[in-house]
Amino acid sequence: MKPRVYLTRRLPDAVMERLAAQTDLAFHDGAAPVAPEELHAALKDREALIPTVSDRIDAAVLAHAPVLRVIANFGVGYNNIDVAAATKRGIQVTNTPDVLTAATADVAFGLLLATARRFGEGERMVREGRWHGWDPLQLLGADIAGATLGLIGFGRIGQAVAHRARAFDMRVLYWNRTRLEPGIELELGVDYRERDELLAESDFVSLHVAYTPETHHLIDASALARMKPSAILVNTARGSIVDEAALVEALKSGRISAAGLDVFEREPHIHAGLYPLSNCVLLPHLGSATIGTRTRMGMLALDNLLAACAGKRPPNLVNPDALAAAPHR
Ligand code: DGY
C-alpha cells in the first residue's frame, strides 16, 4: 500500500511526478500557504506530511493528525516544527541537509557583494532614470579583497561561504559552538574567534547558525554595537536570529554600514523601517531557490518519508527519540 501523504505546497514537476507514482498524494495547490482549517482536515487520515519552512506545525496541528508517523520537512531548518511535541507522539521528523548548501552559500555571498558594492542602489538609479553618466565618486562601495569576513555558525553552509570568500581573497574568521581541530582550520584557511571578538574584528558578518531559543536575537543592539561602523551584516539563516528593530536603528544611525537580508523575523512581513533604507538589500527568502536545489530537496524529503513509512530509519532523522516513543510502528 502506498503511504498516504499530505503536501502543503506544489513542488517542482519531477518531485510531483515521483510523489504521484510512489504515494497516495493529496496537496494544497494554492499560491498562499495552506490555511489551518484545511491542514487540520487533510491530516485526519494521513501517515506522512511534507510541510515547507513557512508552515507552522505545532502541537495544535498534531492534535488533528491521529495516524501521522512522519513529518518530512522540505527544508534544512526545522524550527517551523514543534519537534518535542512530535517526538512525544512518536512522529519522526526529517529535514533536507546538504542538497541546498551551495545554493544558500551563493545567496549569502551574493548579498555580501550586493551590499558592499551597492548593487541595489545602482539598479534602482538606472531603472528610475536617475543615472546621468559615469562619475568618479558615484556609489562608492567597500572592497572585498583583503577584507575580513566573520562567520557566526560554521556548519555546512558557513563552510561553503568560507570557501567562496577565500576565492575572493578575504580573510575568514569563524565562531561556532564547537571549535574545529587546528588541522582542519588550517586546511580551510580560517581562524577561530570568540563571538564578541569576531563581531569587533570583521568587516562583514554572515550568520549561519540554526534558529533555536539560544540563538533568538543573537544579534541584538549590544551585538550590533560591537561591530565596526563600516561593517556589513548578512543574514540567510533565520530572521529571528536578528533583532530587526535594533537592526533598523543601527542602519539608520550609521552604527553599522549596511545589511543584506534574505530572511525576516515575521515572514512575509518585513519591519516597516527597513523599506526606506537604501543601505540594505532585501531578498524574499531565496536561499535554496534554484530548480535543481528545490528538486533535490523534494526528492530527499520523499526518500525520508518513504523510509519512515517502510519502517526503516530515514537518512535525515532529526529526532531519533521518536523511534523509542512509537515502538509499535
Ligand atoms: C531551509 O531549508 O531551511 C531554507 O530556509 C528554505 O530554503
Side-chain angles (χ1 to χ4, degrees):
M1 267 242 302
K2 292 178 178 176
R4 291 186 305 282
V5 175
Y6 186 71
L7 165 68
T8 62
R9 297 298 275 271
R10 180 180 277 279
L11 299 180
D13 287 349
V15 183
M16 295 306 288
E17 282 159 25
R18 193 173 153 220
L19 275 163
Q22 299 189 327
T23 72
D24 169 353
L25 179 67
F27 68 102
H28 169 72
D29 204 10
V34 60
E37 311 72 54
E38 186 182 335
L39 181 61
H40 296 169
L43 286 178
K44 70 176 188 312
D45 64 347
R46 297 283 135 179
E47 297 153 82
L49 168 66
I50 307 182
T52 69
V53 295
S54 48
D55 301 307
R56 177 92 200 113
I57 309 298
D58 55 18
V61 172
L62 297 179
H64 290 83
V67 292
L68 194 66
R69 55 197 295 178
V70 55
I71 304 171
N73 203 39
F74 181 77
V76 64
Y78 47 86
N79 56 296
N80 56 312
I81 299 169
D82 184 337
V83 177
T87 306
K88 227 164 147 183
R89 299 179 80 104
I91 299 170
Q92 298 174 53
V93 178
T94 67
N95 69 341
T96 58
D98 299 316
V99 293
L100 47 61
T101 299
T104 308
D106 288 346
V107 169
F109 209 78
L111 279 171
L112 184 154
L113 292 171
T115 45
R117 301 301 306 275
R118 305 175 67 177
F119 289 171
E121 289 166 87
E123 224 254 350
R124 288 191 288 277
M125 177 188 277
V126 172
R127 280 186 192 278
E128 291 163 12
R130 291 184 286 107
W131 187 46
H132 305 300
W134 191 87
D135 174 339
L137 298 180
Q138 191 170 70
L139 289 179
L140 302 184
D143 284 318
I144 309 281
T148 299
L149 170 63
L151 297 165
I152 298 208
F154 204 57
R156 304 172 186 87
I157 299 173
Q159 291 185 25
V161 174
H163 184 65
R164 283 151 181 74
R166 300 284 300 153
F168 277 73
D169 295 329
M170 298 184 86
R171 172 175 168 249
V172 183
L173 307 176
Y174 81 98
W175 170 84
N176 200 46
R177 257 188 331 190
T178 329
R179 188 175 172 174
L180 302 177
E181 296 293 321
I184 301 179
E185 289 180 357
L186 202 65
E187 201 178 298
L188 297 175
V190 298
D191 288 316
Y192 179 83
R193 289 287 185 281
E194 291 303 331
R195 206 161 59 213
D196 287 351
E197 284 177 71
L198 177 144
L199 288 170
E201 215 179 309
S202 300
D203 300 303
F204 297 86
V205 172
S206 188
L207 306 178
H208 301 287
V209 285
Y211 178 65
T212 64
E214 292 71 45
T215 60
H216 179 78
H217 287 187
L218 186 73
I219 302 299
D220 57 6
S222 72
L224 290 162
R226 292 183 199 284
M227 292 171 65
K228 298 180 184 179
S230 56
I232 292 177
L233 178 72
V234 172
N235 189 8
T236 51
R238 283 293 181 266
S240 300
I241 296 167
V242 177
D243 177 344
E244 234 162 59
L247 176 63
V248 168
E249 279 317 304
L251 289 168
K252 265 176 35 190
S253 64
R255 184 61 218 92
I256 67 167
S257 152
L261 307 174
D262 187 42
V263 287
F264 302 90
E265 278 206 74
R266 291 187 311 115
E267 294 176 13
H269 302 285
I270 295 182
H271 192 294
L274 287 171
Y275 286 102
L277 296 177
S278 58
N279 56 343
C280 66
V281 175
L282 309 175
L283 296 181
H285 202 147
L286 290 180
S288 62
T290 73
I291 184 69
T293 299
R294 291 272 162 92
T295 301
R296 287 188 289 276
M297 288 166 68
M299 295 301 187
L300 190 52
L302 181 52
D303 291 344
N304 279 307
L305 176 160
L306 291 173
C309 290
K312 298 186 189 133
R313 191 187 169 101
N316 309 109
L317 182 63
V318 303
N319 62 341
D321 291 352
L323 298 174
H328 56 287
R329 285 178 175 163

